[in-house]
Amino acid sequence: MPLAGLIHRIMEEANQTEMIHFHFRPFSKLPEVQMLIFVTFLIMYLVSISGNSSIALIIWIYRSLHTPMYFFLASLAVLEICYSSTIAPLTLASILSMEKTLISLPGCGAQMFFFIFLGSADCVLLAIMAYDRFVAICHPLHYTLMMSWRLCARLALGSLALGFILAMQLTVLIFRLPFCSSKEVGMFYCDVLPVMRLACADTRVHEATLFVVGVTVLTIPFLLIALSYVFIVAAILKIRSAEGRHKAFSTCSSHLTVVLLQYGGGSLIYLCPSSSYSPERGQVVSVVYTFITPMLNPLIYSLRNRELKDALKRATMRFLPS
C-alpha cells in the first residue's frame, strides 16, 4: 500500500505539472500599440538575422578574413542568430495573437535554458575577443604563435561549455520549485527572475545562485575586458603613427561598444538586488539585449571595420546584376 500510494502521488504531481501553463504579460492592452510593437520587433529580428548571417557568411567565403579575430566575430554572429531565435519567434507570436499565448512548464524551461546558455556563451566570447585584441596589439610579433587555431577553437568551445553547464544547473534548480497554478510571467519571455517569482516556495537559495551565475558571466569577464583594454590603450598611445593609432582604435572601438551594450543591460537585471527588481524596468532593459543589441552588433562591426566593410561591398557587387 505505501508503494502504491507513493506511485499515485508521483503521478498526481506529474499530471499537475503538465497542466501548469504560463502566459506572457502584454506590452499594451491597445491593439494598435501591440501591432506597432509587433512590426518594430519583427523588423529588428529580421535585421538581426540577416545582418549576422551576412557577417558569418562573408567571413566564411573570403580567405583574407580567416584570422582569429574574424573567427571569433563569426562565432559571435552565429551565437546572436541562435540567441535571437530563442526569444523572438514566441514573442512575436504572443504579440500578434492579441490574446494570452500559453507556454507549458517544460516549454518555459527549454526557453530559459537556451536563453541562459547562449547569453552566457555570448558574454564569455566577448571577453575572449578582448584577449585576442590584447595579444594582437600588445604582442604583435607573437600573435600567430599565441593565438593558434587550436587555442581559438578551444576558447570558443570553452565558452559554449561554460554556458551549457551554468544554464543546465540554474534551469534544473529553478524548475524543481513547485509552481501552484498557471500564472502570468511578468515579461515577454521566460526570464529567470519573473519565473522564479511564480514559485510557491522560498527562493532565496535560487536568487543567490542566480547572483553567482551573474557574477560568473558578467562581472568576471567584464573585469578581464577592462584589464585588457588598460594594456591595449597603453600600447596604442605608444604608436607613433597617427594612422596606426587610428586603425588600432577602430578595431577595438566596435568591440567595446558591443561590450557596453551587452554587459550594461545584463548587469542592470542580474547584478542588482532581487528586492529592487521591477518588471516594468526589466521588460524595457530586456528589449535592449534581446532585440536591439543583436540587431546593432552586425551594424557596428560592419561600419567600424574597414576589412569587413570592403568584403561586404565586394560580395554585394558580385551578387548584384551588372
Side-chain angles (χ1 to χ4, degrees):
M1 286 297 294
L3 179 60
L6 179 62
I7 293 174
H8 179 70
R9 182 179 176 183
I10 292 173
M11 290 182 67
E12 280 187 343
E13 290 179 355
N15 290 333
Q16 185 179 9
T17 300
E18 289 178 1
M19 291 173 62
I20 294 176
H21 288 80
F22 296 143
H23 63 271
F24 301 118
R25 173 178 294 180
F27 286 90
S28 173
K29 295 181 179 179
L30 299 175
E32 297 83 2
V33 177
Q34 284 284 92
M35 184 55 64
L36 179 61
I37 293 172
F38 170 79
V39 173
T40 304
F41 279 16
L42 178 61
I43 292 173
M44 287 193 291
Y45 178 57
L46 293 177
V47 171
S48 171
I49 295 297
S50 58
N52 284 297
S53 299
S54 298
I55 285 182
L57 188 61
I58 290 297
I59 293 173
W60 181 62
I61 290 174
Y62 288 97
R63 295 186 62 85
S64 60
L65 300 179
H66 290 184
T67 63
M69 181 180 78
Y70 291 107
F71 166 74
F72 291 128
L73 181 55
S75 302
L76 181 67
V78 173
L79 267 181
E80 294 286 12
I81 293 170
C82 300
Y83 179 73
S84 298
S85 299
T86 299
I87 306 296
L90 188 59
T91 300
L92 292 169
S94 176
I95 296 172
L96 188 61
S97 68
M98 303 296 180
E99 297 177 357
K100 293 180 179 180
T101 301
L102 299 179
I103 182 170
S104 65
L105 201 62
C108 189
Q111 187 184 52
M112 183 184 293
F113 167 78
F114 283 106
F115 169 72
I116 301 170
F117 167 39
L118 297 169
S120 300
D122 198 319
C123 292
V124 175
L125 188 60
L126 286 172
I128 293 170
M129 293 172 72
Y131 173 72
D132 171 70
R133 291 299 82 209
F134 161 74
V135 176
I137 294 173
C138 299
H139 303 282
L141 299 179
H142 301 91
Y143 179 70
T144 305
L145 182 63
M146 293 177 68
M147 296 302 296
S148 64
W149 283 112
R150 178 177 293 182
L151 177 62
C152 292
R154 287 179 176 177
L155 289 173
L157 291 174
S159 67
L160 292 174
L162 179 61
F164 180 87
I165 292 170
L166 294 175
M168 181 62 71
Q169 290 180 341
L170 189 57
T171 305
V172 169
L173 186 66
I174 290 174
F175 281 89
R176 289 178 66 182
L177 286 166
F179 295 95
C180 304
S181 60
S182 302
K183 294 180 181 179
E184 179 182 81
V185 178
M187 188 65 70
F188 55 91
Y189 65 97
C190 288
D191 198 5
V192 182
L193 280 171
V195 171
M196 202 186 300
R197 290 193 165 194
L198 303 180
C200 307
D202 183 17
T203 60
R204 283 177 293 183
V205 173
H206 305 76
E207 291 171 7
T209 305
L210 175 61
F211 181 77
V212 171
V213 172
V215 169
T216 304
V217 301
L218 291 170
T219 305
I220 295 176
F222 184 77
L223 291 176
L224 293 175
I225 292 171
L227 182 62
S228 297
Y229 273 101
V230 169
F231 290 105
I232 287 171
V233 171
I236 291 175
L237 293 176
K238 293 179 182 178
I239 300 175
R240 296 181 179 180
S241 167
E243 184 180 353
R245 288 197 299 271
H246 176 73
K247 183 178 180 181
F249 271 121
S250 64
T251 58
C252 295
S253 60
S254 54
H255 174 260
L256 195 56
T257 304
V258 172
V259 165
L260 293 175
L261 285 171
Q262 184 78 7
Y263 284 85
S267 299
L268 287 174
I269 299 296
Y270 302 108
L271 295 182
C272 292
S274 58
S275 58
S276 65
Y277 175 77
S278 165
E280 290 75 18
R281 185 190 68 179
Q283 198 166 40
V284 173
V285 175
S286 296
V287 170
V288 174
Y289 58 77
T290 55
F291 279 92
I292 296 177
T293 302
M295 176 191 69
L296 290 180
N297 283 0
L299 297 177
I300 293 170
Y301 278 110
S302 60
L303 291 175
R304 301 289 299 178
N305 190 296
R306 181 179 297 177
E307 291 179 341
L308 187 59
K309 192 190 302 183
D310 292 341
L312 286 168
K313 287 181 180 178
R314 291 197 302 270
T316 303
M317 295 299 293
R318 177 186 297 182
F319 292 109
L320 284 177
S322 55

PDB file of all heavy atoms in Angstrom, residues 133-140 227-241 244-245 248-249 252:
ATOM      1  N   ARG A 133      42.318  40.837 -29.024  1.00  0.00           N
ATOM      2  CA  ARG A 133      42.777  42.199 -29.368  1.00  0.00           C
ATOM      3  C   ARG A 133      43.988  42.585 -28.526  1.00  0.00           C
ATOM      4  O   ARG A 133      44.893  43.271 -29.014  1.00  0.00           O
ATOM      5  CB  ARG A 133      41.650  43.210 -29.154  1.00  0.00           C
ATOM      6  CG  ARG A 133      40.486  43.107 -30.120  1.00  0.00           C
ATOM      7  CD  ARG A 133      40.921  43.333 -31.559  1.00  0.00           C
ATOM      8  NE  ARG A 133      41.475  42.150 -32.173  1.00  0.00           N
ATOM      9  CZ  ARG A 133      42.379  42.150 -33.139  1.00  0.00           C
ATOM     10  NH1 ARG A 133      42.843  43.293 -33.597  1.00  0.00           N
ATOM     11  NH2 ARG A 133      42.821  41.031 -33.652  1.00  0.00           N
ATOM     12  N   PHE A 134      44.017  42.149 -27.276  1.00  0.00           N
ATOM     13  CA  PHE A 134      45.165  42.429 -26.412  1.00  0.00           C
ATOM     14  C   PHE A 134      46.438  41.808 -26.982  1.00  0.00           C
ATOM     15  O   PHE A 134      47.484  42.455 -27.064  1.00  0.00           O
ATOM     16  CB  PHE A 134      44.892  41.896 -25.000  1.00  0.00           C
ATOM     17  CG  PHE A 134      46.118  41.703 -24.159  1.00  0.00           C
ATOM     18  CD1 PHE A 134      46.792  42.789 -23.624  1.00  0.00           C
ATOM     19  CD2 PHE A 134      46.618  40.423 -23.919  1.00  0.00           C
ATOM     20  CE1 PHE A 134      47.934  42.613 -22.852  1.00  0.00           C
ATOM     21  CE2 PHE A 134      47.754  40.244 -23.151  1.00  0.00           C
ATOM     22  CZ  PHE A 134      48.418  41.336 -22.618  1.00  0.00           C
ATOM     23  N   VAL A 135      46.352  40.545 -27.393  1.00  0.00           N
ATOM     24  CA  VAL A 135      47.520  39.871 -27.963  1.00  0.00           C
ATOM     25  C   VAL A 135      47.934  40.522 -29.275  1.00  0.00           C
ATOM     26  O   VAL A 135      49.124  40.750 -29.529  1.00  0.00           O
ATOM     27  CB  VAL A 135      47.228  38.370 -28.173  1.00  0.00           C
ATOM     28  CG1 VAL A 135      48.402  37.681 -28.869  1.00  0.00           C
ATOM     29  CG2 VAL A 135      46.932  37.689 -26.846  1.00  0.00           C
ATOM     30  N   ALA A 136      46.958  40.868 -30.129  1.00  0.00           N
ATOM     31  CA  ALA A 136      47.266  41.450 -31.438  1.00  0.00           C
ATOM     32  C   ALA A 136      47.961  42.801 -31.325  1.00  0.00           C
ATOM     33  O   ALA A 136      48.854  43.120 -32.121  1.00  0.00           O
ATOM     34  CB  ALA A 136      45.979  41.590 -32.257  1.00  0.00           C
ATOM     35  N   ILE A 137      47.563  43.609 -30.338  1.00  0.00           N
ATOM     36  CA  ILE A 137      48.109  44.975 -30.222  1.00  0.00           C
ATOM     37  C   ILE A 137      49.327  45.027 -29.317  1.00  0.00           C
ATOM     38  O   ILE A 137      50.301  45.739 -29.612  1.00  0.00           O
ATOM     39  CB  ILE A 137      47.011  45.933 -29.722  1.00  0.00           C
ATOM     40  CG1 ILE A 137      45.914  46.055 -30.789  1.00  0.00           C
ATOM     41  CG2 ILE A 137      47.573  47.297 -29.382  1.00  0.00           C
ATOM     42  CD1 ILE A 137      44.700  46.827 -30.358  1.00  0.00           C
ATOM     43  N   CYS A 138      49.312  44.271 -28.246  1.00  0.00           N
ATOM     44  CA  CYS A 138      50.415  44.327 -27.279  1.00  0.00           C
ATOM     45  C   CYS A 138      51.547  43.357 -27.603  1.00  0.00           C
ATOM     46  O   CYS A 138      52.689  43.585 -27.196  1.00  0.00           O
ATOM     47  CB  CYS A 138      49.890  44.058 -25.870  1.00  0.00           C
ATOM     48  SG  CYS A 138      48.674  45.264 -25.307  1.00  0.00           S
ATOM     49  N   HIS A 139      51.234  42.275 -28.322  1.00  0.00           N
ATOM     50  CA  HIS A 139      52.272  41.288 -28.689  1.00  0.00           C
ATOM     51  C   HIS A 139      52.136  40.919 -30.171  1.00  0.00           C
ATOM     52  O   HIS A 139      51.907  39.745 -30.504  1.00  0.00           O
ATOM     53  CB  HIS A 139      52.148  40.038 -27.815  1.00  0.00           C
ATOM     54  CG  HIS A 139      52.236  40.308 -26.358  1.00  0.00           C
ATOM     55  ND1 HIS A 139      53.434  40.536 -25.698  1.00  0.00           N
ATOM     56  CD2 HIS A 139      51.254  40.405 -25.407  1.00  0.00           C
ATOM     57  CE1 HIS A 139      53.189  40.745 -24.411  1.00  0.00           C
ATOM     58  NE2 HIS A 139      51.878  40.675 -24.213  1.00  0.00           N
ATOM     59  N   PRO A 140      52.260  41.899 -31.071  1.00  0.00           N
ATOM     60  CA  PRO A 140      52.001  41.621 -32.494  1.00  0.00           C
ATOM     61  C   PRO A 140      52.962  40.608 -33.103  1.00  0.00           C
ATOM     62  O   PRO A 140      52.572  39.840 -33.992  1.00  0.00           O
ATOM     63  CB  PRO A 140      52.150  42.999 -33.153  1.00  0.00           C
ATOM     64  CG  PRO A 140      52.998  43.787 -32.195  1.00  0.00           C
ATOM     65  CD  PRO A 140      52.637  43.303 -30.843  1.00  0.00           C
ATOM     66  N   LEU A 227      40.649  45.087 -17.927  1.00  0.00           N
ATOM     67  CA  LEU A 227      42.090  44.938 -17.747  1.00  0.00           C
ATOM     68  C   LEU A 227      42.801  44.862 -19.094  1.00  0.00           C
ATOM     69  O   LEU A 227      43.865  45.475 -19.293  1.00  0.00           O
ATOM     70  CB  LEU A 227      42.380  43.690 -16.911  1.00  0.00           C
ATOM     71  CG  LEU A 227      43.854  43.411 -16.586  1.00  0.00           C
ATOM     72  CD1 LEU A 227      44.431  44.540 -15.754  1.00  0.00           C
ATOM     73  CD2 LEU A 227      43.998  42.077 -15.851  1.00  0.00           C
ATOM     74  N   SER A 228      42.207  44.121 -20.030  1.00  0.00           N
ATOM     75  CA  SER A 228      42.797  44.019 -21.371  1.00  0.00           C
ATOM     76  C   SER A 228      42.884  45.381 -22.032  1.00  0.00           C
ATOM     77  O   SER A 228      43.902  45.726 -22.648  1.00  0.00           O
ATOM     78  CB  SER A 228      41.958  43.072 -22.246  1.00  0.00           C
ATOM     79  OG  SER A 228      41.944  41.762 -21.728  1.00  0.00           O
ATOM     80  N   TYR A 229      41.827  46.190 -21.880  1.00  0.00           N
ATOM     81  CA  TYR A 229      41.813  47.494 -22.535  1.00  0.00           C
ATOM     82  C   TYR A 229      42.742  48.505 -21.874  1.00  0.00           C
ATOM     83  O   TYR A 229      43.164  49.469 -22.515  1.00  0.00           O
ATOM     84  CB  TYR A 229      40.389  48.025 -22.625  1.00  0.00           C
ATOM     85  CG  TYR A 229      39.695  47.536 -23.865  1.00  0.00           C
ATOM     86  CD1 TYR A 229      38.789  46.480 -23.812  1.00  0.00           C
ATOM     87  CD2 TYR A 229      39.974  48.087 -25.113  1.00  0.00           C
ATOM     88  CE1 TYR A 229      38.170  46.000 -24.956  1.00  0.00           C
ATOM     89  CE2 TYR A 229      39.363  47.614 -26.253  1.00  0.00           C
ATOM     90  CZ  TYR A 229      38.467  46.578 -26.173  1.00  0.00           C
ATOM     91  OH  TYR A 229      37.876  46.098 -27.311  1.00  0.00           O
ATOM     92  N   VAL A 230      43.068  48.305 -20.605  1.00  0.00           N
ATOM     93  CA  VAL A 230      44.089  49.146 -19.977  1.00  0.00           C
ATOM     94  C   VAL A 230      45.427  48.958 -20.685  1.00  0.00           C
ATOM     95  O   VAL A 230      46.112  49.933 -21.043  1.00  0.00           O
ATOM     96  CB  VAL A 230      44.213  48.818 -18.475  1.00  0.00           C
ATOM     97  CG1 VAL A 230      45.448  49.489 -17.880  1.00  0.00           C
ATOM     98  CG2 VAL A 230      42.970  49.257 -17.722  1.00  0.00           C
ATOM     99  N   PHE A 231      45.796  47.697 -20.917  1.00  0.00           N
ATOM    100  CA  PHE A 231      47.045  47.415 -21.623  1.00  0.00           C
ATOM    101  C   PHE A 231      46.959  47.821 -23.094  1.00  0.00           C
ATOM    102  O   PHE A 231      47.938  48.293 -23.675  1.00  0.00           O
ATOM    103  CB  PHE A 231      47.384  45.926 -21.505  1.00  0.00           C
ATOM    104  CG  PHE A 231      47.799  45.501 -20.128  1.00  0.00           C
ATOM    105  CD1 PHE A 231      46.932  44.775 -19.318  1.00  0.00           C
ATOM    106  CD2 PHE A 231      49.041  45.840 -19.622  1.00  0.00           C
ATOM    107  CE1 PHE A 231      47.308  44.381 -18.045  1.00  0.00           C
ATOM    108  CE2 PHE A 231      49.430  45.454 -18.345  1.00  0.00           C
ATOM    109  CZ  PHE A 231      48.558  44.728 -17.548  1.00  0.00           C
ATOM    110  N   ILE A 232      45.780  47.634 -23.708  1.00  0.00           N
ATOM    111  CA  ILE A 232      45.606  47.980 -25.114  1.00  0.00           C
ATOM    112  C   ILE A 232      45.770  49.483 -25.335  1.00  0.00           C
ATOM    113  O   ILE A 232      46.489  49.930 -26.239  1.00  0.00           O
ATOM    114  CB  ILE A 232      44.225  47.505 -25.618  1.00  0.00           C
ATOM    115  CG1 ILE A 232      44.209  45.981 -25.773  1.00  0.00           C
ATOM    116  CG2 ILE A 232      43.873  48.159 -26.952  1.00  0.00           C
ATOM    117  CD1 ILE A 232      42.841  45.407 -26.055  1.00  0.00           C
ATOM    118  N   VAL A 233      45.111  50.286 -24.503  1.00  0.00           N
ATOM    119  CA  VAL A 233      45.208  51.746 -24.638  1.00  0.00           C
ATOM    120  C   VAL A 233      46.638  52.211 -24.412  1.00  0.00           C
ATOM    121  O   VAL A 233      47.151  53.075 -25.141  1.00  0.00           O
ATOM    122  CB  VAL A 233      44.238  52.440 -23.658  1.00  0.00           C
ATOM    123  CG1 VAL A 233      44.482  53.944 -23.626  1.00  0.00           C
ATOM    124  CG2 VAL A 233      42.800  52.151 -24.050  1.00  0.00           C
ATOM    125  N   ALA A 234      47.303  51.626 -23.414  1.00  0.00           N
ATOM    126  CA  ALA A 234      48.702  51.994 -23.155  1.00  0.00           C
ATOM    127  C   ALA A 234      49.587  51.673 -24.355  1.00  0.00           C
ATOM    128  O   ALA A 234      50.468  52.459 -24.719  1.00  0.00           O
ATOM    129  CB  ALA A 234      49.205  51.261 -21.913  1.00  0.00           C
ATOM    130  N   ALA A 235      49.325  50.534 -24.995  1.00  0.00           N
ATOM    131  CA  ALA A 235      50.121  50.152 -26.171  1.00  0.00           C
ATOM    132  C   ALA A 235      49.805  51.043 -27.370  1.00  0.00           C
ATOM    133  O   ALA A 235      50.704  51.421 -28.134  1.00  0.00           O
ATOM    134  CB  ALA A 235      49.853  48.688 -26.517  1.00  0.00           C
ATOM    135  N   ILE A 236      48.532  51.399 -27.549  1.00  0.00           N
ATOM    136  CA  ILE A 236      48.145  52.245 -28.683  1.00  0.00           C
ATOM    137  C   ILE A 236      48.764  53.629 -28.564  1.00  0.00           C
ATOM    138  O   ILE A 236      49.214  54.217 -29.565  1.00  0.00           O
ATOM    139  CB  ILE A 236      46.603  52.344 -28.772  1.00  0.00           C
ATOM    140  CG1 ILE A 236      46.013  50.996 -29.196  1.00  0.00           C
ATOM    141  CG2 ILE A 236      46.183  53.417 -29.769  1.00  0.00           C
ATOM    142  CD1 ILE A 236      44.496  50.957 -29.203  1.00  0.00           C
ATOM    143  N   LEU A 237      48.807  54.180 -27.348  1.00  0.00           N
ATOM    144  CA  LEU A 237      49.368  55.513 -27.148  1.00  0.00           C
ATOM    145  C   LEU A 237      50.861  55.569 -27.461  1.00  0.00           C
ATOM    146  O   LEU A 237      51.410  56.655 -27.709  1.00  0.00           O
ATOM    147  CB  LEU A 237      49.120  55.978 -25.712  1.00  0.00           C
ATOM    148  CG  LEU A 237      47.643  56.231 -25.352  1.00  0.00           C
ATOM    149  CD1 LEU A 237      47.506  56.596 -23.886  1.00  0.00           C
ATOM    150  CD2 LEU A 237      47.045  57.313 -26.245  1.00  0.00           C
ATOM    151  N   LYS A 238      51.511  54.410 -27.456  1.00  0.00           N
ATOM    152  CA  LYS A 238      52.939  54.369 -27.783  1.00  0.00           C
ATOM    153  C   LYS A 238      53.194  54.310 -29.286  1.00  0.00           C
ATOM    154  O   LYS A 238      54.337  54.469 -29.723  1.00  0.00           O
ATOM    155  CB  LYS A 238      53.589  53.148 -27.109  1.00  0.00           C
ATOM    156  CG  LYS A 238      53.626  53.231 -25.586  1.00  0.00           C
ATOM    157  CD  LYS A 238      54.254  51.987 -24.996  1.00  0.00           C
ATOM    158  CE  LYS A 238      54.249  52.050 -23.465  1.00  0.00           C
ATOM    159  NZ  LYS A 238      54.834  50.810 -22.860  1.00  0.00           N
ATOM    160  N   ILE A 239      52.156  54.065 -30.066  1.00  0.00           N
ATOM    161  CA  ILE A 239      52.310  54.016 -31.526  1.00  0.00           C
ATOM    162  C   ILE A 239      52.561  55.429 -32.042  1.00  0.00           C
ATOM    163  O   ILE A 239      51.797  56.355 -31.765  1.00  0.00           O
ATOM    164  CB  ILE A 239      51.053  53.410 -32.197  1.00  0.00           C
ATOM    165  CG1 ILE A 239      50.817  51.982 -31.692  1.00  0.00           C
ATOM    166  CG2 ILE A 239      51.189  53.424 -33.715  1.00  0.00           C
ATOM    167  CD1 ILE A 239      49.538  51.343 -32.213  1.00  0.00           C
ATOM    168  N   ARG A 240      53.627  55.609 -32.797  1.00  0.00           N
ATOM    169  CA  ARG A 240      53.989  56.948 -33.264  1.00  0.00           C
ATOM    170  C   ARG A 240      53.124  57.413 -34.419  1.00  0.00           C
ATOM    171  O   ARG A 240      52.807  58.587 -34.539  1.00  0.00           O
ATOM    172  CB  ARG A 240      55.466  56.960 -33.682  1.00  0.00           C
ATOM    173  CG  ARG A 240      56.433  56.691 -32.520  1.00  0.00           C
ATOM    174  CD  ARG A 240      57.865  56.746 -32.983  1.00  0.00           C
ATOM    175  NE  ARG A 240      58.796  56.513 -31.874  1.00  0.00           N
ATOM    176  CZ  ARG A 240      60.119  56.513 -32.004  1.00  0.00           C
ATOM    177  NH1 ARG A 240      60.666  56.747 -33.197  1.00  0.00           N
ATOM    178  NH2 ARG A 240      60.882  56.297 -30.950  1.00  0.00           N
ATOM    179  N   SER A 241      52.741  56.488 -35.289  1.00  0.00           N
ATOM    180  CA  SER A 241      51.956  56.843 -36.470  1.00  0.00           C
ATOM    181  C   SER A 241      50.507  57.134 -36.088  1.00  0.00           C
ATOM    182  O   SER A 241      49.862  56.339 -35.390  1.00  0.00           O
ATOM    183  CB  SER A 241      52.015  55.710 -37.500  1.00  0.00           C
ATOM    184  OG  SER A 241      51.051  55.891 -38.498  1.00  0.00           O
ATOM    185  N   GLY A 244      48.339  54.497 -37.625  1.00  0.00           N
ATOM    186  CA  GLY A 244      48.398  53.245 -36.867  1.00  0.00           C
ATOM    187  C   GLY A 244      47.538  53.298 -35.617  1.00  0.00           C
ATOM    188  O   GLY A 244      46.862  52.330 -35.285  1.00  0.00           O
ATOM    189  N   ARG A 245      47.576  54.459 -34.925  1.00  0.00           N
ATOM    190  CA  ARG A 245      46.733  54.610 -33.732  1.00  0.00           C
ATOM    191  C   ARG A 245      45.253  54.565 -34.107  1.00  0.00           C
ATOM    192  O   ARG A 245      44.446  53.944 -33.409  1.00  0.00           O
ATOM    193  CB  ARG A 245      47.052  55.928 -33.018  1.00  0.00           C
ATOM    194  CG  ARG A 245      48.386  55.940 -32.295  1.00  0.00           C
ATOM    195  CD  ARG A 245      48.450  57.086 -31.297  1.00  0.00           C
ATOM    196  NE  ARG A 245      48.304  58.377 -31.967  1.00  0.00           N
ATOM    197  CZ  ARG A 245      49.305  59.089 -32.456  1.00  0.00           C
ATOM    198  NH1 ARG A 245      50.556  58.639 -32.324  1.00  0.00           N
ATOM    199  NH2 ARG A 245      49.095  60.249 -33.036  1.00  0.00           N
ATOM    200  N   ALA A 248      44.190  50.964 -34.887  1.00  0.00           N
ATOM    201  CA  ALA A 248      44.092  50.151 -33.671  1.00  0.00           C
ATOM    202  C   ALA A 248      42.845  50.516 -32.868  1.00  0.00           C
ATOM    203  O   ALA A 248      42.123  49.640 -32.371  1.00  0.00           O
ATOM    204  CB  ALA A 248      45.348  50.350 -32.819  1.00  0.00           C
ATOM    205  N   PHE A 249      42.581  51.817 -32.761  1.00  0.00           N
ATOM    206  CA  PHE A 249      41.389  52.247 -32.029  1.00  0.00           C
ATOM    207  C   PHE A 249      40.108  51.799 -32.720  1.00  0.00           C
ATOM    208  O   PHE A 249      39.135  51.415 -32.072  1.00  0.00           O
ATOM    209  CB  PHE A 249      41.381  53.777 -31.868  1.00  0.00           C
ATOM    210  CG  PHE A 249      42.084  54.266 -30.644  1.00  0.00           C
ATOM    211  CD1 PHE A 249      43.158  55.143 -30.746  1.00  0.00           C
ATOM    212  CD2 PHE A 249      41.688  53.853 -29.380  1.00  0.00           C
ATOM    213  CE1 PHE A 249      43.815  55.595 -29.618  1.00  0.00           C
ATOM    214  CE2 PHE A 249      42.339  54.302 -28.234  1.00  0.00           C
ATOM    215  CZ  PHE A 249      43.412  55.174 -28.353  1.00  0.00           C
ATOM    216  N   CYS A 252      39.130  48.232 -32.039  1.00  0.00           N
ATOM    217  CA  CYS A 252      38.724  47.976 -30.657  1.00  0.00           C
ATOM    218  C   CYS A 252      37.429  48.690 -30.288  1.00  0.00           C
ATOM    219  O   CYS A 252      36.678  48.199 -29.433  1.00  0.00           O
ATOM    220  CB  CYS A 252      39.830  48.425 -29.698  1.00  0.00           C
ATOM    221  SG  CYS A 252      41.357  47.484 -29.844  1.00  0.00           S
TER     222      CYS A 252
END
